[in-house]
């Protein structure tokens, strides 16, 4: 039978929870029943993607109501893993990615580059009055 | 953030005693580096031996320190990167920007040359 996992997480909008969210991704990579790739590499990548996306939502997606928790879902269905990070703020310009310029050396803007590099499909769209960053990875 | 600061002659070694360098603690590191630079300590080594995980905010803080040190005719060098942290520098091509050494002694010695 196809492996199915659904996690629906709500955390306060504070960076002190980033480590916990990242560790959930690591634990999932080490637990997946049907994954035959490098589990430690997948664990690091899921930790990283969850940390980047959550930190981004905390920074750019803050609700008008500060107490509003941040919602993150992680779903595995067979060989497809989908992470969704929801925000209730004004969002950000997903298309405006700074280039990785070695000479100009920007201090910001590498988070989405990292997510796009490590995941197979990434999109950012409106959802229920806010936005969702949706990231998919094939677990081959 | 848990930092250990040690002077080796005119070189200051900043040891990060954290497992993670991320958006939660990278601002502290950035401030500490800026404080050192503004008080005339322009030869910095950031030792990452204990750091198992670094995200884009952590990389951004190190880039900030590197740029501020260079602007003051100094240098910021890195030592003791764990393989997964090294892979982050390669992914973002920052390994071409920073001088990276296997340990603190080699990083400190490189300032003498």
């Amino acid at each position: 039978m196809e492996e199915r996992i659904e996690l629906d997480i709500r955390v306060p909008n504070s960076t002190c929870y980033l480590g916990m969210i990242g560790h959930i991704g690591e634990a999932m990579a080490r637990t997946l029943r049907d994954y035959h790739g490098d589990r430690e590499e997948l664990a690091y990548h899921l930790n990283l993607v969850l940390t980047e996306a959550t930190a981004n939502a905390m920074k750019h997606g803050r609700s008008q109501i500060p107490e509003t928790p941040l919602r993150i879902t992680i779903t595995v269905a067979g060989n497809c893993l989908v992470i969704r990070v929801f925000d209730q703020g004004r969002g950000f310009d997903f298309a405006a990615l700074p280039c990785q310029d070695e000479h100009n050396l920007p201090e910001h803007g590498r988070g989405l580059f990292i997510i796009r590099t490590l995941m197979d499909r990434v999109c950012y769209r409106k959802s229920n009055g806010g936005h969702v960053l949706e990231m998919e990875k094939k677990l081959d | 953030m848990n930092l250990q600061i040690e002077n080796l002659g005119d070189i200051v070694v900043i040891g990060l005693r954290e497992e993670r360098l991320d958006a939660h603690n990278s601002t502290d590191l950035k401030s500490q580096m800026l404080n050192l630079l503004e008080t005339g300590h322009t030869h910095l080594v950031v030792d990452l031996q204990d750091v198992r995980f670094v995200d884009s905010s952590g990389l951004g803080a190190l880039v900030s320190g590197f740029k501020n040190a260079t602007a003051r005719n100094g240098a910021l060098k890195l030592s003791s990167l764990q393989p997964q942290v090294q892979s982050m520098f390669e992914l973002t091509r920052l390994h071409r920007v920073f001088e990276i050494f296997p340990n603190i002694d080699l990083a400190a010695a490189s300032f003498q040359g």
Side-chain angles (χ1 to χ4, degrees):
Chain A
M1 201 173 99
E2 185 179 90
E3 186 175 26
R4 288 192 70 88
I5 302 169
E6 291 178 25
L7 300 182
D8 196 334
I9 304 160
R10 284 169 176 79
V11 289
N13 196 327
S14 168
T15 55
C16 71
Y17 296 99
L18 288 176
M20 183 190 81
I21 296 297
H23 282 125
I24 290 171
E26 289 202 333
M28 177 172 270
R30 294 189 180 115
T31 310
L32 290 171
R33 188 188 63 197
D34 299 333
Y35 185 64
H36 302 293
D38 183 337
R39 284 182 187 272
E40 285 312 303
E41 183 179 81
L42 180 65
Y44 196 82
H45 288 175
L46 294 187
N47 186 346
L48 191 53
V49 165
L50 279 162
T51 299
E52 296 288 358
T54 306
N56 203 51
M58 286 174 173
K59 184 176 178 186
H60 298 289
R62 197 175 284 271
S63 164
Q64 300 295 329
I65 306 161
E67 296 79 24
T68 306
L70 205 69
R71 182 179 178 216
I72 300 152
T73 66
I74 311 172
T75 308
V76 175
N79 72 339
C80 183
L81 179 144
V82 180
I83 296 170
R84 294 182 181 90
V85 178
F86 298 81
D87 71 61
Q88 294 299 316
R90 284 185 291 183
F92 58 90
D93 185 357
F94 184 62
L97 269 181
C99 63
Q100 299 304 301
D101 184 345
E102 289 166 38
H103 305 291
N104 188 28
L105 271 184
E107 290 176 32
H108 305 284
R110 293 181 180 84
L112 283 173
F113 169 79
I114 290 168
I115 290 171
R116 282 180 157 162
T117 303
L118 299 182
M119 301 300 277
D120 296 318
R121 188 181 65 80
V122 183
C123 73
Y124 187 64
R125 57 181 168 78
K126 289 190 182 300
S127 168
N128 289 333
H131 302 84
V132 57
L133 181 62
E134 188 171 284
M135 300 157 283
E136 184 178 309
K137 190 171 184 68
K138 294 291 178 202
L139 301 171
D140 297 322
Chain B
M1 165 169 244
N2 195 2
L3 295 174
Q4 185 177 328
I5 298 192
E6 185 183 358
N7 290 286
L8 296 176
D10 64 348
I11 299 160
V12 176
V13 179
I14 306 168
L16 305 193
R17 301 294 171 246
E18 299 276 355
E19 184 190 302
R20 289 172 63 95
L21 176 58
D22 63 15
H24 184 56
N25 56 12
S26 57
T27 308
D28 287 351
L29 172 63
K30 196 170 160 177
S31 300
Q32 285 280 354
M33 289 188 295
L34 197 55
N35 281 343
L36 287 166
L37 290 164
E38 286 178 341
T39 52
H41 303 284
T42 56
H43 292 162
L44 305 181
V45 175
V46 178
D47 184 64
L48 296 167
Q49 183 171 5
D50 293 347
V51 178
R52 190 180 69 84
F53 177 93
V54 62
D55 75 351
S56 63
S57 298
L59 294 173
L62 293 169
V63 166
S64 170
F66 176 88
K67 289 166 78 171
N68 285 325
T70 306
R72 290 168 171 79
N73 295 318
L76 183 148
K77 306 187 183 194
L78 305 176
S79 66
S80 318
L81 274 62
Q82 294 196 28
Q84 287 171 320
V85 172
Q86 172 79 31
S87 73
M88 284 300 296
F89 280 81
E90 290 168 5
L91 180 69
T92 55
R93 300 180 208 153
L94 287 172
H95 65 301
R96 298 184 192 173
V97 173
F98 287 93
E99 286 188 69
I100 299 173
F101 296 88
N103 56 54
I104 293 171
D105 290 344
L106 288 171
S110 72
F111 282 100
Q112 312 306 325

